[in-house]
Amino acid sequence: MDRTAIGWINGFLGVVIFSGSLPATRAAVADFDPVFLTVARASIAALLAVLVLLLFRQRRPQRADIVPLVIVALGVVVGFPLLTALALKHITAAHSIVFVGLLPLATAIFAVLRGGERPKPAFWLFSVLGSALVVGFALAQGVTAAPLGDMLMLGAIIVCGLGYAEGARLSRKLGGWQVICWALVIALPVMGLIMAYAWPSSWSGISGPAWIGLAYVSVFSMLVGFFFWYHGLALGGIATVGQLQLLQPFFGLMLAALLLNEQVSAAMFIVTLGIVACVAGAKRFA
């Protein structure tokens, strides 16, 4: 099997794992404070990352790798988890998943900015159409529905796209799983301190689904998923394997409906399909 095929397989597995992130976060924030959830999942994943790095005796990153690793940490260790956790206090997991359809576009934009790629003008046409669909969907819910939740989700997509692109670029040098492990280790001191400050005063009212949600986002969303995702991007290419994220909204919507009993409206499916079509068109001219 060639490198490209292995990259697509790894990328697909990463997307499947990430698809459960928002439903799991939604379940966790029902009982956990969003800030505590963010720092707890990062701290738990970081401790596991330390064990993995020690087990495989990995060398420390070079000085030139520190800034890119900090960017990765700010994007996917802190930024995306915190913003989505805050957003899911205001909107449903099904609603938030619609915004995930913009992740391939955000990743592509930062690949342009960081990698110097020059897409054709048609690429930007599809990009604008996809963004307009998301904004139109949010406005259609009414400006008083949950504008704060929508803004937080848009911010989460932006920082996640940056973290994906930067991590994929760096993974070609350090390796896919090494990038996320070192990013988690760099973030651990700050995350640990904040976790101690945000420690819940009582654990008695925390439900089973909330614990399961915390476990999932800590082990799978924050660590294991990136093993496959960054490895897939490194082998198959950011532009091509990154488009597998188009499948994530569909998987996420199904999980939100099955696990959280959330209503998935026809409008959500239509908007998601429209976003997929727009990003697919953008990919054609990338």
Side-chain angles (χ1 to χ4, degrees), residues 253-275:
L253 287 171
M254 288 188 293
L255 288 172
L258 292 173
L259 301 179
L260 302 178
N261 295 319
E262 292 187 358
Q263 182 179 1
V264 179
S265 66
M268 289 181 182
F269 272 114
I270 292 172
V271 171
T272 302
L273 287 172
I275 293 172

Side-chain angles (χ1 to χ4, degrees), residues 116-134:
E117 298 178 6
R118 296 293 181 267
K120 298 177 182 179
F123 171 88
W124 301 113
L125 173 62
F126 283 106
S127 300
V128 171
L129 288 175
S131 299
L133 277 174
V134 174

Side-chain angles (χ1 to χ4, degrees), residues 34-143:
V35 174
F36 175 78
L37 175 64
T38 300
V39 295
R41 65 186 280 181
S43 299
I44 294 170
L47 293 175
L48 295 174
V50 170
L51 294 177
V52 173
L53 290 169
L54 291 175
L55 179 64
F56 291 95
R57 300 180 180 180
Q58 295 297 300
R59 293 182 180 180
R60 294 181 180 179
Q62 298 178 357
R63 184 172 299 179
D65 301 326
I66 299 301
V67 172
L69 284 171
V70 170
I71 294 175
V72 173
L74 290 174
V76 302
V77 176
V78 180
F80 184 77
L82 177 60
L83 292 174
T84 53
L86 291 171
L88 287 167
K89 279 290 190 179
H90 305 277
I91 60 178
T92 66
H95 184 99
S96 68
I97 287 166
V98 174
F99 288 86
V100 178
L102 287 175
L103 257 180
L105 174 59
T107 304
I109 290 174
F110 283 109
V112 169
L113 296 176
R114 299 295 297 172
E117 298 178 6
R118 296 293 181 267
K120 298 177 182 179
F123 171 88
W124 301 113
L125 173 62
F126 283 106
S127 300
V128 171
L129 288 175
S131 299
L133 277 174
V134 174
V135 174
F137 175 78
L139 292 176
Q141 310 306 304
V143 293

